[in-house]
Amino acid sequence: MPSHEKTDLPGAADVSLTRKKPEDLRSHRWYGVKDMRSFGHRSRTAQMGFSRDDYLGKPVIGILNTWSDMNSCHTHFKQRVEEVKRGVWQAGGFPVEIPAISLGEAFQKPTTMLYRNLLAMEAEELIRSYPCDGVVLMGGCDKTTPGLVMGALANNLPTIFVPAGPMLRGDYKGKFLGSGSDTWKYWAELRAGNITEQDWQEVEDGIARSPGTCMTMGTASTMTSATEAMGLTLPGASSIPAPDSRHSMMATHTGKRIVDMVWEDLKPLDILTPASFDNAVVTALGLGGSTNAIVHLIAMARRAGVPLDLNRFDELARRTPVIANLRPGGQYLMEDFYYAGGLRAFLKEMGAHIDGSQKTVNGRTLGENIADAQVYNSEVILPLAAPKLESGGLAVLRGNLAPDGAVIKPAAMEQHLRKHTGPAVVFKDYNDMAARIDDPDLDVSKDSVIVLQSAGPQGAPGMPEWGQLPIPQKLLKEGVRDMVRISDARMSGTSYGACVLHVTPESHVGGPLALVRTGDLVTLDVDARRIAMEVSDEEIARRRAAWKAPAPKFGRGYGVMFLKHVQQADTGCDFDFLAPDYVDPDSAAASATAAGEPEIH
C-alpha cells in the first residue's frame, strides 16, 4: 500500500533572508559567551560525552518526552525519541531529551485532568529554564497534547508536535473492537447478563493490542487532529497508527524540520490565529470528535491570546457537517481512517469549511499541504455532499440548570431523546451513585433523568470523565441502552449516550446543578439548545439560600493550588494566574518581569 500521508519537507518558504546566525541562537547565552558560567555549561556537556563540535553554534532542540511505564499509549516513545534525535542530528542540530510528567489516562486517578495544568506549567518552565532554541513536543494520550502545547505557547520558541498515533484495531471473535466504546458496550451487556465472564475477559485481552492512543475518535485523536489542523504538526502526522513504520519516518522528519524552524525563527504565535483555531474546532466537529475538545481548545486559545468561547463552538457546530464515519458516533476506527486517506484527505473533503490560507510548521499553508490529498474509502470519509450529519457534532446548551453553558454530543445519542422531559433521580456524588444505581428498589424508569452532582473541576476534584453515567441494571435488563444523564463532569471521547456534560457553574461552587432535587422535572431540548429544571425561580432562590458550601477537597500541596486557581469549564479549566494578561494583585510591580528569559550568572 503506498504512503498517502504527506510527511516530506520540500517546498518550505524561502526564508534565507531572515535566517538566524549562530550568535543569535538562544542557547548562545549558555554555550557561546566567554565567562566562567559558560565554562561550566560546556564542561558539564563534555561530562556527558559531547565535544564542542557537537553543539556549539548549532540549534539546541529540547525534546519534551512524556514517556512513562504508566502511560500505555506512549510505550513506543523510547524508540520515537531516538528517531526524532536522528532527524535533529541529520539537520545539524543538537538534540536533548527532557522528560516531562506523563499523564497516563488509564491509570492516573482521580483524573489526568487534575494534572493537565501541572504538565503545562512544567513544560513552560522546562523550556524557559534550559538552553532550548526549539522544542519538539511528544504526546498524544488525552491531556498530554493540550498540556504540552499550553506550556510551549508561554515561551513562543519554534515548536513542533509529535502525536503518539492511534493503536491498532482491537479484536474479539472476528469483530473489530474500539477502545472505550466497546468497553462501555460490553460492560452493559455483562451487567444485563447477555455475555459471560469468559466473554468479558476475551474482550479485555483483545481490545488494546499495540502501542498508541485509543483507536476510536476519542479525545486523543480529536486533540492530535485539531493540533494538526492548527498547523503545529507535519501534514498527515496525526493519523498514522503508532506501530506503522511511517510513524517512525514522521518522527525523523519532525526532528529535521524543527532545526530549520529555529533558523527561520518560525514560532507558534506566527502560526496560531483565530482562523487556525476555527480550523481546529471545525476539524473536531467534522470528525464527530470528543466533547473534551471544547475545554482544551478554549484553554489553548487563551494561552495564545486568541478569543474562543462556547458561543463560537456552537456557531461553528450549527454549520459544520460530520463527514467522518468513526466510532463512537460511527462505524470505523482510526486505522481505517488512515487507510482511507487520513486527516489530509478529511480536510481536503471539508472544502470551504477549512481556511487553507493558514500557516503551518512546514512553512507551507494548510491548503498547500492538503492540495493533493485523496479519499480512498468514501465509507470512512464521507463525501461532503452526503455527510453523516448535516451539522451538530456538538451542541452547547443553556438554561436555568446551566446558565454559563453545558455541552452534549448529539451524534452519539439515541435521537428520540433530543427533546425529553423526565423526573430527576439525583445522586449527591459518585460514591452515592455507585452505591444506589443498581438497587432494585431505586425509583427510576427509562424516562427518568439521572443527575450527578459534585463531579466538576472542584467538586470531584479535577472534572473526571464520569459523565457517561451508568444505566441502572434493572433498566439494562429491560433493554434500555440510553437515557438523559446530566453532570458537571466530562465524558471520555470514546463514550456515547444522551449525556449532558460540563454543566457550568459546577455544583460544588453553588451552581444550579447543586439545587436539583429528586423528582424535579428536567427538560433537554437539543435543537433549542436548552437544559432546564422545571422549577420556579422563587423555589430555586429558596434552595439557594439554604445551600451550604462543601468543604475543600484538599488541605495541602498541589491540590490546594488547584482548588484556589482552577477556572470553570466554559473558560477551559486553566489556572487564572497562567492567563497571558494575568497580573498578581499582590505583586503587580514584579509581574512584567516574572516570565521571559532567565538571568544567567
Side-chain angles (χ1 to χ4, degrees):
M1 185 185 66
S3 173
H4 46 262
E5 291 293 353
K6 197 180 192 70
T7 56
D8 55 313
L9 301 178
D14 182 5
V15 291
S16 58
L17 296 178
T18 60
R19 189 175 177 87
K20 280 186 175 181
K21 299 176 182 178
E23 58 268 27
D24 297 327
L25 294 173
R26 183 172 178 268
S27 59
H28 182 80
R29 298 179 61 222
W30 276 262
Y31 284 124
V33 297
K34 295 181 180 180
D35 61 16
M36 186 189 72
R37 188 58 62 198
S38 187
F39 166 87
H41 302 149
R42 293 190 297 268
S43 66
R44 292 300 184 176
T45 305
Q47 180 185 9
M48 295 184 284
F50 296 106
S51 69
R52 286 192 180 194
D53 291 343
D54 290 322
Y55 62 86
L56 206 58
K58 299 179 179 180
V60 176
I61 305 301
I63 307 171
L64 270 60
N65 188 358
T66 52
W67 174 89
S68 148
D69 273 333
M70 291 305 294
N71 192 330
S72 53
C73 302
H74 294 181
T75 55
H76 55 316
F77 272 5
K78 276 190 173 182
Q79 178 181 342
R80 292 296 177 271
V81 72
E82 298 305 319
E83 291 155 353
V84 172
K85 288 180 180 179
R86 181 173 69 198
V88 173
W89 285 118
Q90 289 174 356
F94 181 60
V96 289
E97 180 183 1
I98 307 174
I101 184 174
S102 189
L103 309 182
E105 195 71 26
F107 296 102
Q108 195 164 30
K109 307 301 178 188
T111 169
T112 53
M113 188 63 183
L114 184 63
Y115 302 104
R116 182 202 67 182
N117 295 346
L118 182 61
L119 171 60
M121 292 173 66
E122 182 183 30
E124 177 177 340
E125 300 306 328
L126 288 173
I127 295 167
R128 175 179 294 125
S129 60
Y130 283 115
C132 301
D133 297 303
V135 186
V136 175
L137 308 174
M138 298 184 62
C141 191
D142 295 10
K143 312 309 179 296
T144 58
T145 299
L148 288 168
V149 172
M150 289 162 66
L153 289 177
N155 294 284
N156 197 32
L157 297 178
T159 299
I160 193 167
F161 184 76
V162 173
M167 69 176 91
L168 298 178
R169 295 174 295 217
D171 174 72
Y172 168 64
K173 293 184 176 179
K175 299 177 182 178
F176 291 139
L177 294 177
S179 46
S181 302
D182 280 314
T183 302
W184 319 124
K185 171 185 172 181
Y186 285 104
W187 176 243
E189 297 306 318
L190 180 68
R191 292 172 64 226
N194 295 332
I195 65 171
T196 67
E197 288 288 346
Q198 179 61 35
D199 293 327
W200 178 241
Q201 184 173 334
E202 290 181 26
V203 172
E204 177 183 311
D205 292 341
I207 200 166
R209 59 188 185 90
S210 82
T213 59
C214 293
M215 80 301 270
T216 47
M217 183 46 70
T219 303
S221 285
T222 302
M223 291 310 303
T224 56
S225 298
T227 301
E228 179 176 334
M230 279 192 288
L232 297 182
T233 79
L234 290 182
S238 66
S239 310
I240 310 171
D244 195 302
S245 62
R246 287 164 288 193
H247 197 271
S248 298
M249 296 178 196
M250 177 271 295
T252 299
H253 283 313
T254 298
K256 292 179 181 179
R257 178 57 192 155
I258 187 60
V259 176
D260 285 340
M261 287 176 66
V262 171
W263 291 125
E264 296 164 13
D265 200 28
L266 179 59
K267 304 179 293 294
L269 296 186
D270 300 326
I271 295 170
L272 299 179
T273 67
S276 64
F277 272 98
D278 277 358
N279 282 342
V281 173
V282 167
T283 295
L285 293 168
L287 290 168
S290 170
T291 51
N292 288 315
I294 297 176
V295 174
H296 298 318
L297 286 173
I298 288 175
M300 293 160 72
R302 287 163 68 88
R303 293 291 186 98
V306 171
L308 180 64
D309 58 18
L310 290 178
N311 291 335
R312 186 59 176 165
F313 266 91
D314 197 57
E315 179 184 350
L316 292 171
R318 288 176 184 270
R319 64 179 192 241
T320 300
V322 178
I323 66 168
N325 186 14
L326 298 172
R327 300 186 201 178
Q331 180 180 356
Y332 292 97
L333 297 166
M334 286 302 296
E335 191 177 347
D336 306 299
F337 183 66
Y338 178 64
Y339 302 148
L343 192 74
R344 290 179 61 245
F346 165 86
L347 294 172
K348 176 76 173 296
E349 186 62 34
M350 288 292 288
H353 293 281
I354 295 294
D355 184 344
S357 70
Q358 298 304 297
K359 294 179 182 179
T360 72
V361 290
N362 74 341
R364 300 186 182 120
T365 65
L366 183 61
E368 290 170 332
N369 286 337
I370 64 176
D372 63 347
Q374 298 180 54
V375 174
Y376 300 110
N377 186 336
S378 59
E379 293 183 4
V380 180
I381 302 174
L382 304 173
L384 188 63
K388 183 173 177 59
L389 287 175
E390 294 287 346
S391 64
L394 298 173
V396 175
L397 311 171
R398 297 185 190 273
N400 68 1
L401 198 51
D404 293 334
V407 301
I408 194 168
K409 189 174 181 177
M413 63 186 286
E414 292 186 7
Q415 296 304 295
H416 73 278
L417 294 170
R418 291 178 71 96
K419 187 173 184 178
H420 178 84
T421 299
V425 178
V426 179
F427 299 98
K428 65 181 181 180
D429 56 31
Y430 196 92
N431 289 330
D432 180 33
M433 182 188 69
R436 296 195 291 126
I437 192 71
D438 288 336
D439 185 340
D441 295 327
L442 182 69
D443 186 9
V444 64
S445 74
K446 64 181 178 62
D447 296 321
S448 298
V449 175
I450 298 177
V451 175
L452 175 65
Q453 300 168 334
S454 299
Q458 295 195 34
M463 201 180 178
E465 292 180 340
W466 294 345
Q468 194 205 18
L469 309 180
I471 305 294
Q473 188 175 41
K474 69 180 182 180
L475 297 182
L476 286 173
K477 291 179 178 179
E478 295 173 8
V480 176
R481 291 296 181 270
D482 200 6
M483 298 173 64
V484 175
R485 290 158 277 178
I486 302 174
S487 73
D488 44 14
R490 296 176 302 112
M491 180 173 80
S492 169
T494 66
S495 301
Y496 50 85
C499 300
V500 177
L501 312 159
H502 308 191
V503 170
T504 309
E506 63 172 307
S507 59
H508 194 82
V509 300
L513 190 69
L515 310 178
V516 184
R517 301 289 182 264
T518 292
D520 290 344
L521 289 179
V522 174
T523 295
L524 167 66
D525 190 335
V526 173
D527 296 330
R529 299 299 199 264
R530 181 171 179 262
I531 184 71
M533 53 177 165
E534 306 301 339
V535 176
S536 69
D537 292 344
E538 293 76 15
E539 175 61 17
I540 291 174
R542 187 190 66 77
R543 294 179 186 181
R544 185 178 302 283
W547 180 80
K548 294 182 179 179
K553 294 284 187 175
F554 293 109
R556 62 175 299 279
Y558 170 74
V560 170
M561 179 173 69
F562 182 93
L563 295 181
K564 284 184 177 180
H565 295 285
V566 70
Q567 298 176 307
Q568 290 290 296
D570 63 316
T571 52
C573 292
D574 202 358
F575 290 157
D576 54 10
F577 63 82
L578 292 175
D581 57 352
Y582 177 78
V583 175
D584 185 345
D586 297 324
S587 57
S591 63
T593 57
E597 291 296 335
E599 294 186 20
I600 301 176
H601 299 301

